[in-house]
Every structure is written in C-alpha cells, then in structure tokens.
Amino acid sequence: MTTIVDPDGPKLVNITSNPIPEGVRVGYFRTSDQVRLRYAYWPRTGDVHQGTVCLVHGRTEYIEKYFETIADFRSRGFAVATFDWRGQGGSDRLISNRSLGYVDRFSDYWCDLKSFHAEILLPDCPPPFYLVGHSMGGLVSLFAGAHDRLMFDRIFVSAPMVALDRQPLSMGGMAKAASVLSFLGLGQLPAGRRADKPMSEKTFANNPLTSDKVRYMRSVDVVRANPRLGIGKPTINWVAAAMAAMAEAGRDDFPGRIRVPLLMLAAARDQVVSSAAIEHLGLRLRTGSHAVIAGAQHEMFVENDFIRGQVFAAFDAFITDQSA
C-alpha cells in the first residue's frame, strides 16, 4: 500500500520523527453547516476485520499527532478514520486570528462528529464503529453517547474534559462569567495565563501532558514543519462554550442519558482536567465504567511505553476482544 494524497486536497505533515502510516486517504468534507474539515482514513492491515475506530482529538490537536496510535489500532485489525475539529489543525479556522482556539458553541463539535459519521463513516468505512476520544474529544464523545445510542457500538475515552480543577467558580459559574464577557464583545480575545508558551524543547520540563520526551518532541517537530496546524490559547467564547458543556456533564441526570457501552480512563497525575470528576461520573454510569491509570499524565496516548501499554490493554479488553 502507498500513501495517497490528492494534489489539490489537504496534506499531512510527513517527517522522519513522525512518518505517515502507509495507505492513507486524505480529504476534506463539509459539515451540515458548511464548515470544511480535514479528515484522513486508513484501512485495516492484515486479514483480521474488527471494524473502524473513529478517533477524535483534544483541543489544539491534529491528525498528525496520532500517527503512532493509528498504527497501533490498525495492527489490531481496525480501520481508522479521524478528522480535525473546526477551528484547529488543517480544518477551517473560524476567526481571523488563526493562533487562537474558537468555537461559537460546544454543540458545533457535535455537528462535526455527526457530519463525519454521515459523510465518511457510513458510506466509506467498515462497521462496526467504535468511538475513541481524548480530552475535549472525550467530552464530545460522552455527548454522542447521550444523544444517539446507534451511531457507535462502544465508546472509549481518555482523560475526558468533564471538569477543570483549580477554578475560581464552578463550571456553570465560569460559563456565565465568560458568556457575559462574550456578550460585551470580548469573545474573540485570548483567555489563559501570560506564562503559557508554545511547546518546545525548553517547555518539556514540568509539562502537564506527558513524561515521554520523544513523543512530546514529535508534536513540536510537526508544528515546526507546518506552523499553520498549531493553535495556542483559547478565546473567551471557547471558554464560555466549553464550561457550559462541562456544567451539563456534571448534572445529576447526565450519566443516565449515556446509553452506549462506555469506558473512561483517568490519568492519576492529570493537571489539565479533573480526574476526580471523571471518577465521580464513572461511578454513576449505567452503561459504563472507569479506570485510573497510575502515574499517567493527561495525554495517555503519547505517554511512555508502560502507560500506553496499560491504555491499550484496557482498550483491548473493552473493544478488541469484544469485536473479535
């Protein structure tokens, strides 16, 4: 198999430290509200047929970051389909400042996923379909399980963004405060700390994402090769939208609305999202459960080999062995 890239279509960054897995098809699709998103699809390798993993990323992420993980899924007999959310990666940006993360409302991400399911998964990918989501993509995945129990057979999420620790107000209170600022015309301004810096070799020490420097530097190399893939701080309007979604995920009735078999993984050393909130949600699920990965930081798919081994052992027990 060879890499297929439409000369007039989107490209994937292919560098020595992060080569493109062979056999990819890359393209654009349009959502139901006419936002153009970049996607990629890899068929399975070998003779084992397990279905398709639909992989959805966290805030600031892009397809290239998951090349190693995509290869891991394919080695298990899965095809893999993935895309960049609106406002990031190789998809359409929504405001003039490309360096900021923006979305009008969090339900727009659900629109992205529904459109991908209808335009790419159903016509082009072998069933059954399994949804795998990380961080922000994990929260969208939880809403997918609450909105439609037939789209995906099972849902597997790592470090889902269901709440943030160390905030001055509750998730609902933060959403209201940010919404007021957006109403006053400040929605496209950046939110975050002045000390926040783009990823580089210098920022690896004490970073909150991963203990694995080689995998950390892959992301640095990708954005260095194509700076247009990167985004930095979120906007105030993104904060308002995300906090409102997290507040909804924290409601008492939310666990009962999820009607798809679900496994959530929390990272014991997570400094980005609240592991305690993930555990609290996991204990109340009717069709799912949770597990905590000891020693892991937030980005478990790009953590060290020992932690990744635990993540894929959980994935295999929950999905691979069930689909065989």
Side-chain angles (χ1 to χ4, degrees), residues 63-295:
I63 295 167
E64 287 88 344
K65 186 169 182 173
Y66 286 87
F67 283 171
E68 181 183 21
T69 298
I70 288 163
D72 290 327
F73 288 135
R74 295 179 78 204
S75 71
R76 289 162 164 78
F78 294 95
V80 181
T82 186
F83 65 94
D84 291 333
W85 298 113
R86 65 180 66 202
Q88 62 188 59
S91 294
D92 281 352
R93 301 301 169 93
L94 307 175
I95 58 176
S96 59
N97 189 340
R98 290 181 55 88
S99 68
L100 298 179
Y102 180 87
V103 73
D104 286 330
R105 59 194 67 82
F106 202 82
S107 59
D108 288 345
Y109 293 131
W110 168 232
C111 174
D112 292 351
L113 181 56
K114 284 192 299 182
S115 298
F116 186 64
H117 185 273
E119 298 296 325
I120 305 299
L121 287 180
L122 282 177
D124 298 334
C125 304
F129 302 134
Y130 302 103
L131 182 58
V132 176
H134 170 67
S135 195
M136 185 189 84
L139 181 56
V140 181
S141 299
L142 296 180
F143 280 108
H147 291 325
D148 192 327
R149 65 184 180 87
L150 299 178
M151 284 176 64
F152 298 99
D153 284 49
R154 290 184 172 231
I155 298 174
F156 179 90
V157 295
S158 73
M161 189 183 73
V162 296
L164 306 182
D165 292 326
R166 300 176 296 278
Q167 300 300 308
L169 300 170
S170 67
M171 298 299 98
M174 292 293 292
K176 291 177 182 178
S179 294
V180 169
L181 294 176
S182 291
F183 179 76
L184 295 175
L186 306 177
Q188 295 187 20
L189 294 181
R193 303 173 301 175
R194 291 183 178 179
D196 292 340
K197 297 180 180 179
M199 291 174 62
S200 69
E201 188 168 10
K202 293 180 179 179
T203 62
F204 173 73
N206 301 315
N207 84 87
L209 304 177
T210 175
S211 64
D212 192 291
K213 187 172 184 179
V214 171
R215 293 185 171 103
Y216 182 89
M217 289 304 299
R218 284 179 191 165
S219 296
V220 175
D221 293 342
V222 168
V223 175
R224 185 176 294 150
N226 183 2
R228 292 177 68 83
L229 290 178
I231 62 171
K233 295 178 181 179
T235 55
I236 289 172
N237 204 78
W238 185 92
V239 171
M243 292 293 183
M246 286 185 272
E248 182 175 351
R251 290 175 47 179
D252 290 341
D253 67 337
F254 185 74
R257 290 162 51 192
I258 298 174
R259 297 167 292 169
V260 180
L262 167 70
L263 177 61
M264 298 189 300
L265 299 186
R269 297 176 57 208
D270 205 322
Q271 300 178 56
V272 178
V273 304
S274 173
S275 292
I278 296 170
E279 292 186 78
H280 183 62
L281 174 60
L283 291 171
R284 296 179 295 144
L285 290 170
R286 294 182 180 178
T287 60
S289 59
H290 76 283
V292 180
I293 305 299

